[in-house]
Amino acid sequence: MAKTNPGRFFEDYRVGETIRHAVPRTLSGGERALYHALYPARHALYSSDEFARASGLAASPMDDLAAFHVVFGKSVPDISLNAVANLGYAEGRWRAPVWPGDTLASESEVIGLRENSNGKSGVVYVRTKGTNQHGDVVLDYVRWVMVRKKNLDAPAPETVVPDLAKVVPASELWIPEGLDFTSYDFALAGEPHRWGDYEVGETIDHVDGVTVEEAEHMLATRLWQNTAKVHFDATNREDGKRLIYGGHVISMARALSFNGLANAQMIIGLNGGAHANPCFAGDTIRAWSEVLDRAETPAPGVGAIRLRLVAVKGDHRDFALKGDDGKYLPHVMLDLDYWALMPT
């Protein structure tokens, strides 16, 4: 009797089922140090306990994307082990801080299925939530992923495509209890730009670039316990390349955005996102952002800013996103729409 798990294929999913993911993960300062080693992350709220305390928090929480990677990684063996590609995100909300010492677990509900016209794969839509040791939801989001079929003769399931909100309403954004930016130290944060200094439609070239190495990607993939075959098994693709985990690109672009958005301290909403084109070792990631919206919050001195974060490969600095055909340009790797908190 086989003891190993080959992972799920497209025909193995059913709309409405809930999948509890193994294995819970306790986070520590080690994860923070490794996160900051992998990415040039230096937003002050996640770097300094003293800066966080001056902003009304008990201490510096774990980086928001570190929490995302852990929750995401738990879901991979059940959702995307046999994936062709992770396609997009929607309706993401960070709902509670994650502190060193917290234990995170995750589960996913299948909310949609759609077989592709080639009959060889299909798209699986899931809503994944991460909880801490107290049962509090710290993060939830929807993602959709293209998964291979094992049995090409398996009948296509009824097509169910969920109706997803294009934007998380500003009124539904979570604000950490006690967060107060009225005494915010702009010099220590690294830039003087306030929430009110950014205009809707403004674009920002984040200037710097980082060339992705195979070793760092493999360390990141293992750190987040992401077991998707396309990320660690070079024989899984016809071109013999290991696909860089899309979350690695997200974190790299977010870290690069510090130059121009150093005061966009906390990511609290994920409106949408697409991994437009693959990233491989040797590619150089650069990033630019567009200001999409701004909103007031009830927290003292705190505003919400909606940003489009775009990661590109090479040296493209023209803010171009899509061609005349409406498709992403080949150098665009990531198009991410998110809300962040910023001092007013």
Side-chain angles (χ1 to χ4, degrees):
M1 183 177 179
K3 300 292 193 299
T4 55
N5 176 19
R8 290 184 173 218
F9 293 86
F10 178 70
E11 63 267 30
D12 297 327
Y13 295 93
R14 300 292 180 269
V15 172
E17 69 174 317
T18 297
I19 305 167
R20 296 180 66 200
H21 306 303
V23 175
R25 175 80 174 269
T26 301
L27 304 184
S28 71
E31 275 85 1
R32 168 177 287 158
L34 280 170
Y35 185 88
H36 287 206
L38 286 165
Y39 314 107
R42 49 199 170 118
H43 286 86
L45 202 69
Y46 295 114
S47 299
S48 165
D49 284 341
E50 294 306 314
F51 191 95
R53 291 188 186 108
S55 300
L57 302 182
S60 177
M62 299 293 294
D63 289 73
D64 33 47
L65 288 176
F68 171 82
H69 292 318
V70 171
V71 172
F72 184 103
K74 301 294 94 188
S75 73
V76 167
D78 297 312
I79 304 301
S80 45
L81 188 66
N82 295 304
V84 178
N86 189 52
L87 300 177
Y89 310 94
E91 297 185 357
R93 294 173 175 87
W94 280 257
R95 298 182 181 271
V98 175
W99 308 101
D102 279 352
T103 297
L104 300 186
S106 62
E107 67 177 40
S108 298
E109 179 187 0
V110 180
I111 61 173
L113 293 170
R114 175 176 58 81
E115 184 170 284
N116 290 329
S117 58
N118 62 13
K120 298 180 180 179
S121 61
V123 179
V124 180
Y125 298 80
V126 296
R127 187 181 300 276
T128 299
K129 67 177 181 181
T131 55
N132 62 20
Q133 66 274 21
H134 306 296
D136 301 323
V137 177
V138 301
L139 166 69
D140 60 14
Y141 59 91
V142 173
R143 72 165 169 139
W144 48 104
V145 56
M146 188 185 302
V147 181
R148 294 180 177 88
K149 291 181 71 174
K150 183 177 183 180
N151 177 10
L152 299 185
D153 296 325
E158 178 184 357
T159 297
V160 177
V161 177
D163 184 17
L164 301 172
K166 293 184 178 180
V167 180
V168 177
S171 60
E172 297 181 10
L173 296 173
W174 160 78
I175 310 297
E177 184 178 355
L179 188 68
D180 184 341
F181 282 161
T182 55
S183 298
Y184 190 91
D185 192 324
F186 287 87
L188 290 182
E191 285 181 351
H193 314 304
R194 300 171 177 266
W195 176 81
D197 295 330
Y198 293 87
E199 298 182 1
V200 174
E202 178 180 358
T203 51
I204 304 160
D205 178 0
H206 298 302
V207 180
D208 307 305
V210 175
T211 302
V212 178
E213 302 293 345
E214 197 79 78
E216 71 185 26
H217 162 249
M218 293 310 301
L219 178 61
T221 306
R222 292 167 183 153
L223 174 63
W224 312 126
Q225 298 178 329
N226 184 332
T227 58
K229 297 174 184 177
V230 292
H231 299 323
F232 66 86
D233 183 351
T235 69
N236 196 252
R237 290 174 54 93
E238 292 182 359
D239 58 12
K241 295 181 179 180
R242 289 183 286 200
L243 185 68
I244 302 297
Y245 164 47
H248 193 70
V249 178
I250 292 175
S251 277
M252 194 65 75
R254 159 71 170 165
L256 291 172
S257 75
F258 179 90
N259 192 346
L261 285 167
N263 296 316
Q265 289 290 349
M266 304 186 80
I267 296 178
I268 55 168
L270 180 57
N271 300 307
H275 296 291
N277 286 289
C279 179
F280 299 103
D283 286 341
T284 297
I285 299 175
R286 301 186 190 277
W288 58 268
S289 293
E290 178 185 2
V291 180
L292 299 177
D293 198 1
R294 297 186 307 162
E296 297 179 349
T297 82
V302 179
I305 186 168
R306 181 184 168 199
L307 298 162
R308 160 176 271 157
L309 175 62
V310 178
V312 299
K313 64 178 71 178
D315 195 23
H316 296 271
R317 300 178 182 273
D318 54 5
F319 304 111
L321 191 64
K322 296 181 179 181
D324 295 337
D325 58 1
K327 296 181 180 180
Y328 285 105
L329 295 171
H331 62 268
V332 175
M333 293 185 286
L334 172 72
D335 180 10
L336 196 73
D337 180 341
Y338 69 98
W339 285 104
L341 296 180
M342 178 177 280
T344 59

